[in-house]
Amino acid sequence: PTRLQGLKEMHRFLLKARRGALLRANARYFSGTGPYGKVMATPEEALEASGITSGNKVLVGGFGLCGIPMGCIQALNKTNINALTVVSNNCGVDEWGLGILLESKKIKRMISSYVGENAEFERQYLTGELEVELTPQGTLAERLRAGGAGIPAFFTPTAYGTVIMDGGFPIKYKNGGKGVEIASEPRESREFNGRGYIMEHAITGDVGLVKAAKADTYGNLYFNGTARNFNPECGMAAKFTIAEVEEIVDVGELKPEDIHLPGVYINAIVKMDVEKKIERVTVRKANAEESKGSLGRREKIVRRAALELKHGMNVNLGIGMPTLASNYLPEGVHVMLQSENGLLGMGPYPLEGEEHPDLINAGKETVTTLPGSSIFSSGESFAMIRGSHIDVTVLGALEVAENGDLANWVIPGKMVKGMGGAMDLVSCGSRVVVTMDHCSKKGDPKLLKSCSLPLTGKGIVDMIITDMAVFEVDKEKGELVLIEVAEGVTVDDVAAKTEAKFRVSDDVKPMLST
């Protein structure tokens, strides 16, 4: 027995020694000095290794300013490379992120889902200086994921029945913005199980630029918070991917289960300490009390919208007014808020001083997490949306038609914000609640017989909540049903401000509120 015990101890010692030797060998093998070295001293060295040239397609991770490879972007901006096609969810802001490549005229075409508040992006597009291929956010993520997975194309319900399917939307205006020089191509459409789908082609790129919190010397990546977003998808789909990271550790120091993107996708690693900016710092005050007094117009709308959120639901609240609905949930009602940039279980705004650039919502506002929260990539975020795992979507609108058509993303030739994730959210089969002003600032009706603007979704709205009334959409009859009116508003008042056909419920109530 003593001899047997000694042999067992010797066996354990040899295994431990062997594992240590392997770890040390791997650390040497995958370091910058090894035969497959990926660690590089500067982003300039990494860009040179990638072979990037003018006219290349570059895939860039990030969402807003969160998780962007700013050091690599700055290095690229210093080169003579231009005429790039850049694939990224958005294009940064003026003077930061991809916005600096726009200003230096290095980008020929942007493939993105959201223009947002980047004034230079919008100006260059509307004046014919920049080609822009606007793509629904979930479709963009899936096109990248498919490219990295070797899938040439796929069918999606997103954007069925819209200008994305029909084609003809301006990709490039003529010089000065008068007339269309390049228009989008129509998509192939098909029905599966009685539902309409369109075909989208995968995206691959010559060079990928991604940002991570940590990398080991093989290139395994760990992302912090919602800085993951589009980074895994961009890393997968490029021929040569450069990972800009805050910390590099030896192989073996990252637990396998903590690796978000395997090193097989990464070709170069650069450690950089670059400022991380926050696009919209949003905070709450400790022990802040709810304001009293009469309800404002927006508050009336969002308090009514909060009643549509039932206990246990998974809910997506759109940018702007819909986001406020979570502040007015009835007592005892708890929901899981989903933010399409990769967060389920979104908490309140952080206390002042506790905001973090790696934790934002889809509106680029700083947020917190809650017990039970989970964080994931943009691809997985839209998988749960497209797969009908979100119960309710609340979002704003520019126009709604009497049959439930929705338009909320563009005014051709004038205002281009992009569809972001809206087309994905309204096409997934979840309940869609629209919160909006009843009339435009000019006093024109926004509830119409048919939408005059390009559609976000066709026949997808279930309920409309305005400052004057609440309507349900009878999709079988193609008309609205008035079910509630606001305080001080009559049915005649509503009729005078509504172009859409509607019938009055037999049991019209005063507008409900939490």
Side-chain angles (χ1 to χ4, degrees):
T2 303
R3 185 181 179 188
L4 181 60
Q5 183 65 30
L7 289 172
K8 287 181 178 179
E9 290 179 2
M10 177 64 75
H11 181 65
R12 285 195 293 267
F13 172 79
L14 290 172
L15 285 177
K16 188 175 181 180
R18 181 173 178 270
R19 182 176 184 274
L22 283 172
L23 286 174
R24 288 190 295 273
N26 279 347
R28 290 193 302 272
Y29 192 70
F30 293 118
S31 69
T33 59
Y36 290 99
K38 299 182 180 182
V39 178
M40 300 192 177
T42 66
E44 289 81 7
E45 181 185 353
L47 287 170
E48 184 178 357
S50 74
I52 187 170
T53 62
S54 294
N56 276 179
K57 184 184 288 183
V58 183
L59 317 180
V60 184
F63 186 96
L65 302 182
C66 181
I68 60 171
M70 190 64 201
C72 289
I73 293 170
Q74 290 171 327
L76 181 57
N77 195 44
K78 295 174 184 176
T79 70
N80 294 322
I81 294 168
N82 55 36
L84 296 170
T85 293
V86 175
V87 183
S88 191
N89 181 60
N90 49 294
C91 200
V93 296
D94 298 332
E95 301 181 354
W96 198 253
L98 287 170
I100 67 173
L101 298 186
L102 270 182
E103 291 173 359
S104 56
K105 304 294 180 68
K106 292 186 177 297
I107 301 177
K108 178 183 179 182
R109 174 177 288 205
M110 276 298 305
I111 301 176
S112 58
S113 82
Y114 196 64
V115 176
E117 285 66 50
N118 189 325
E120 180 64 10
F121 190 172
E122 187 174 46
R123 187 199 67 77
Q124 287 191 24
Y125 172 55
L126 292 177
T127 57
E129 299 175 35
L130 177 70
E131 299 173 14
V132 178
E133 186 181 329
L134 286 169
T135 303
Q137 192 175 137
T139 297
L140 180 62
E142 192 66 11
R143 289 177 69 187
L144 287 163
R145 193 201 67 80
I151 299 171
F154 58 90
F155 281 92
T156 175
T158 299
Y160 184 85
T162 73
V163 70
I164 302 299
M165 180 180 88
D166 297 336
F169 190 77
I171 288 177
K172 187 177 188 298
Y173 286 99
K174 293 180 180 178
N175 189 33
K178 297 181 179 180
V180 177
E181 185 173 316
I182 303 174
S184 63
E185 295 291 329
R187 305 294 202 270
E188 178 183 335
S189 62
R190 200 177 292 185
E191 281 197 4
F192 297 92
N193 300 319
R195 189 179 181 191
Y197 292 77
I198 64 173
M199 189 172 76
E200 293 283 0
H201 290 266
I203 293 176
T204 57
D206 300 293
V207 177
L209 304 178
V210 302
K211 172 66 184 295
K214 288 183 183 181
D216 65 21
T217 50
Y218 175 57
N220 293 314
L221 301 185
Y222 167 84
F223 301 100
N224 186 47
T226 57
R228 193 181 316 185
N229 51 65
F230 275 85
N231 278 296
E233 286 77 16
C234 288
M236 291 172 61
K239 296 175 185 175
F240 191 104
T241 296
I242 303 169
E244 177 183 321
V245 301
E246 298 165 32
E247 181 181 0
I248 300 176
V249 299
D250 287 335
V251 167
E253 290 192 32
L254 290 177
K255 293 181 179 179
E257 60 267 29
D258 291 338
I259 293 169
H260 299 138
L261 184 65
V264 68
Y265 297 109
I266 305 302
N267 305 93
I269 309 159
V270 182
K271 180 182 177 181
M272 300 192 70
D273 182 15
V274 181
E275 178 187 4
K276 294 195 285 189
K277 294 188 177 184
I278 300 175
E279 197 165 342
R280 293 178 182 169
V281 177
T282 44
V283 296
R284 58 189 165 94
K285 294 181 179 180
N287 303 318
E289 293 185 5
E290 184 179 338
S291 61
K292 304 294 181 182
S294 61
L295 299 182
R297 173 184 54 81
R298 286 164 59 90
E299 190 174 345
K300 287 179 184 177
I301 297 171
V302 296
R303 280 185 177 272
R304 178 59 186 85
L307 292 175
E308 297 303 305
L309 312 182
K310 309 303 181 185
H311 184 72
M313 279 185 168
N314 298 303
V315 178
N316 185 287
L317 301 178
I319 296 171
M321 185 163 36
T323 304
L324 303 174
S326 61
N327 297 330
Y328 302 106
L329 291 174
E331 187 175 353
V333 173
H334 299 282
V335 300
M336 291 293 275
L337 297 178
Q338 197 255 15
S339 187
E340 57 261 40
N341 58 313
L343 171 60
L344 180 64
M346 182 170 60
Y349 296 141
L351 295 172
E352 191 169 358
E354 296 181 0
E355 62 274 12
H356 197 288
D358 289 344
L359 196 56
I360 65 167
N361 63 16
K364 289 87 173 178
E365 300 170 322
T366 47
V367 293
T368 59
T369 58
L370 297 172
S373 296
S374 54
I375 292 176
F376 31 84
S377 71
S378 294
E380 187 166 355
S381 180
F382 282 94
M384 65 180 67
I385 290 170
R386 199 182 306 106
S388 301
H389 302 291
I390 303 301
D391 300 299
V392 177
T393 293
V394 184
L395 74 172
L398 295 170
E399 297 175 346
V400 179
E402 60 189 32
N403 67 346
D405 289 353
L406 169 69
N408 76 346
W409 65 281
V410 65
I411 301 175
K414 294 182 180 179
M415 185 274 287
V416 185
K417 295 301 179 186
M419 68 286 290
M423 284 189 177
D424 306 272
L425 285 160
V426 301
S427 66
C428 68
S430 67
R431 179 170 170 80
V432 175
V433 177
V434 167
T435 57
M436 62 186 294
D437 293 324
H438 203 92
C439 297
S440 69
K441 292 180 180 179
K442 294 181 179 180
D444 298 325
K446 295 173 70 173
L447 300 180
L448 308 173
K449 291 185 179 299
S450 60
C451 292
S452 62
L453 299 174
L455 296 183
T456 306
K458 192 171 180 63
I460 47 76
V461 177
D462 296 289
M463 174 176 278
I464 308 160
I465 303 171
T466 77
D467 50 316
M468 295 185 71
V470 179
F471 297 87
E472 288 182 343
V473 181
D474 186 334
K475 296 179 182 178
E476 290 186 2
K477 295 185 178 181
E479 63 182 17
L480 307 181
V481 182
L482 178 65
I483 60 172
E484 298 172 25
V485 292
E487 182 179 358
V489 176
T490 67
V491 172
D492 289 340
D493 293 333
V494 174
K497 298 289 185 180
T498 306
E499 180 190 290
K501 176 184 177 182
F502 72 89
R503 71 176 188 269
V504 181
S505 170
D506 295 334
D507 186 24
V508 178
K509 296 181 174 66
M511 187 182 291
L512 302 174
S513 177
T514 54

